[in-house]
Amino acid sequence: MPVRRLLPAAALASASLLLAGCFAAPGDGGDGSADGGKRVRVAMMNPPRSGLSPLSDDAFKLSRWSTAETLVTLDAAGDPRPALATSWKQDGTRWTFTVRDGVTFHDGTQFTARDAARSLTRAATASPKPRILDGVDLTATAAGKTLTVTTATPDPLLPQRLSSPQLSILSAGAYRGKTVDPVGTGTGAFRLTKVNGAASASLDRYDGYWGGRAKAPGIDVTFIPDGTARAAALRTGEADIVEAVPVSQAALLDPDLVTEVPMPRTNTLYLNTAKGPFRDPALRAAAREAIDAGPVVKGVYEGRADVAEGLLGPAVTWADDLRTPRRPARAAEPRGATITIGTFTDRAELPEVAQTLQQQLRKAGFDVRLEVREYAAIEADALAGAFDAFLLSRATVLDSGDPAAYLYSDFASRGSFNLSQLTDPAVDAALDKAAAAPSGDARRRAIMAAEAAVLATDAAVPLLHERVIQGDAADVAGAAHDPRERLLVTPGTHVK
């Protein structure tokens, strides 16, 4: 366990200044409501980047606040379960969904299959498309209670795709302008009432929710990018729930208030297979053998992470049981080969991880240089193969709950996020097989075979799997601890 440390006085003063004025006044119900309940105060890390449009990554905030919902949800294993759709079936390229009766949007209009078709059509024709529809062509039509979704080619993963918060179903009122407006147009347990730019948001309980009345009268959200200030908000009682507590701050909090959950996020060192020293498989193998993630987990993450056995970690609950052996190349002597590792500052731990890797690789005989920038300033160069290696914290099942899309994006020769510049026929064949496999055990086995094919190339060295570190005040009950980061405040969440 990490040694408990005292926050320096200067840091406490800084945190107090950052907190001053951070928390907005609560919604119309004040700190409580007519029935005596308390509103839930939430401190979140990232402010909205796209006006809370469900077609962007902001969609995950709408999901975490239980205000916007999807046709399908996922169980712990990543299999689809009913939500706004009660059943579905596939016939080749056509899927038919039966939509749920008795659902009312927050603006009072009734939810129908036509509303679902409208939302999916807007997403499918958006520019850019939501990430979950990358490479997918679909059309959506409605007849009575039936929604029909047709894809250009058979897509066994369509129900999982429709679980993505980026495909939330909103009322017609959300689509009256060029942008999509989620204020008062969702179907969830809480109605979004106000958004104050990048500062805060307010939601009130929606008493007409089809899933039953929420316990809390509302939610007051404040966006606090500074991790020290977020942790201080929990410590001083300014927040009831704090997401993404930094590792450096977790040890300073009462252990009873901190929950760690393995998340589907892997810190990986991508090696450039197209040019430079790592074009040689033997030098990639040398790098893999030189790297020891144990000190990184123990030191940088203070034990609050898991050493990686592969690309998929403990949050993908079935991965370990199906993992297959890999057969990588034999290592060669680096003999002073010069390499540049790129990474970014947006995730505070990554520069320190890169320094640890630099020391390990130098000890093995590499001449290692680091280049660290903000992510927005380094992504284009990373995708263009400007670095010999790139250190990234990568979500593996964020959108569909299925790792096949991540593996294809990152390691297929046609992948849109192929940082390793990998072009390998065996990997492509394994990824194509995984993408085409039907949902269930057959698909999971194909995914793990694809992971083994990728690791055999040493195009990527998985280091560790991060954990969600969430702070909940002692009087909070029912907060979600979701490894996929889709849920946070649910209908059952309340402050005692």
Side-chain angles (χ1 to χ4, degrees):
M1 293 295 293
V3 177
R4 187 179 296 273
R5 296 172 296 175
L6 294 177
L7 191 66
L12 276 172
S14 175
S16 298
L17 287 172
L18 284 165
L19 280 171
C22 270
F23 281 83
D28 294 340
D31 285 335
S33 69
D35 59 7
K38 295 181 179 179
R39 295 175 66 85
V40 181
R41 300 166 300 166
V42 180
M44 301 193 78
M45 177 172 65
N46 292 321
R49 296 176 180 174
S50 302
L52 287 177
S53 169
L55 306 182
S56 71
D57 280 347
D58 287 352
F60 290 84
K61 292 179 175 58
L62 303 177
S63 175
R64 287 167 72 73
W65 302 336
S66 293
T67 187
E69 298 181 305
T70 52
L71 292 166
V72 178
T73 189
L74 299 177
D75 64 14
D79 292 326
R81 294 291 180 263
L84 293 180
T86 57
S87 62
W88 49 86
K89 62 181 180 180
Q90 182 182 15
D91 181 12
T93 60
R94 179 179 299 176
W95 286 84
T96 56
F97 295 80
T98 301
V99 302
R100 187 178 296 277
D101 284 330
V103 177
T104 306
F105 287 109
H106 297 156
D107 59 11
T109 59
Q110 293 294 312
F111 163 68
T112 67
R114 182 178 296 179
D115 295 302
R118 179 193 305 110
S119 292
L120 295 182
T121 298
R122 182 64 176 263
T125 57
S127 181
K129 286 183 180 180
R131 187 175 53 227
I132 189 63
L133 296 181
D134 187 19
V136 177
D137 292 321
L138 66 79
T139 59
T141 58
K145 294 170 56 178
T146 300
L147 170 73
T148 301
V149 180
T150 305
T151 55
T153 58
D155 184 1
L157 202 64
L158 185 69
Q160 283 93 332
R161 292 189 196 280
L162 297 187
S163 76
S164 170
Q166 292 183 327
L167 300 182
S168 296
I169 308 302
L170 302 179
S171 71
Y175 304 99
R176 288 175 181 159
K178 292 183 178 180
T179 59
V180 183
D181 185 3
V183 175
T185 57
T187 59
F190 295 95
R191 179 178 183 269
L192 182 60
T193 59
K194 189 175 183 180
V195 181
N196 298 310
S200 63
S202 296
L203 302 94
D204 291 338
R205 177 170 53 208
Y206 181 56
D207 289 337
Y209 179 51
W210 63 270
R213 191 170 183 261
K215 290 188 175 181
I219 309 169
D220 295 309
V221 181
T222 304
F223 303 107
I224 308 177
D226 183 86
T228 300
R230 278 199 313 282
L234 183 68
R235 197 164 41 242
T236 60
E238 294 289 332
D240 300 308
I241 300 174
V242 175
E243 70 162 9
V245 175
V247 169
S248 61
Q249 296 297 310
L252 308 176
L253 298 172
D254 182 340
D256 291 339
L257 306 184
V258 175
T259 302
E260 298 179 42
V261 180
M263 66 188 302
R265 179 175 287 277
T266 304
N267 278 18
T268 302
L269 185 66
Y270 292 77
L271 305 183
N272 190 332
T273 64
K275 62 182 180 181
F278 290 137
R279 186 176 181 181
D280 182 354
L283 286 183
R284 298 199 298 269
R288 184 240 313 147
E289 289 188 357
I291 290 172
D292 180 5
V296 175
V297 169
K298 184 177 180 180
V300 179
Y301 286 84
E302 301 182 0
R304 299 177 186 272
D306 300 289
V307 173
E309 297 296 329
L311 295 167
L312 305 179
V316 183
T317 55
W318 43 265
D320 276 347
D321 291 339
L322 299 177
R323 182 159 283 124
T324 58
R326 50 178 169 169
R327 298 175 181 174
R330 296 180 64 179
E333 289 293 331
R335 300 184 184 280
T338 300
I339 60 172
T340 299
I341 299 176
T343 194
F344 51 98
T345 58
D346 302 53
R347 287 189 171 268
E349 296 83 8
L350 290 185
E352 191 173 351
V353 174
Q355 290 173 358
T356 303
L357 298 183
Q358 181 183 42
Q359 295 168 6
Q360 293 179 348
L361 290 166
R362 280 178 172 172
K363 186 176 181 180
F366 288 96
D367 180 7
V368 186
R369 302 168 185 175
L370 300 182
E371 189 161 338
V372 182
R373 310 177 205 159
E374 291 185 356
Y375 185 76
I378 204 170
E379 182 189 50
D381 283 345
L383 289 171
F387 304 104
D388 299 302
F390 194 79
L391 177 62
L392 182 73
S393 174
R394 179 73 160 129
T396 58
V397 296
L398 181 66
D399 293 325
S400 67
D402 180 273
Y406 142 72
L407 290 170
Y408 189 94
S409 173
D410 285 29
F411 302 109
S413 57
R414 299 181 301 278
S416 61
F417 205 73
N418 190 349
L419 294 173
S420 296
Q421 315 295 312
L422 181 63
T423 301
D424 186 289
V427 170
D428 284 345
L431 291 171
D432 288 342
K433 183 176 180 180
S439 179
D441 286 342
R443 186 177 185 88
R444 292 174 186 139
R445 293 183 186 280
I447 287 170
M448 297 312 296
E451 183 203 61
V454 170
L455 294 177
T457 69
D458 282 323
V461 182
L463 304 173
L464 58 93
H465 307 293
E466 296 184 24
R467 299 176 188 167
V468 178
I469 304 179
Q470 181 175 313
D472 300 329
D475 55 355
V476 170
H481 302 104
D482 180 17
R484 298 190 187 102
E485 297 184 288
R486 294 183 175 194
L487 301 175
L488 184 62
V489 180
T490 73
T493 305
H494 62 285
V495 181
K496 301 174 187 176

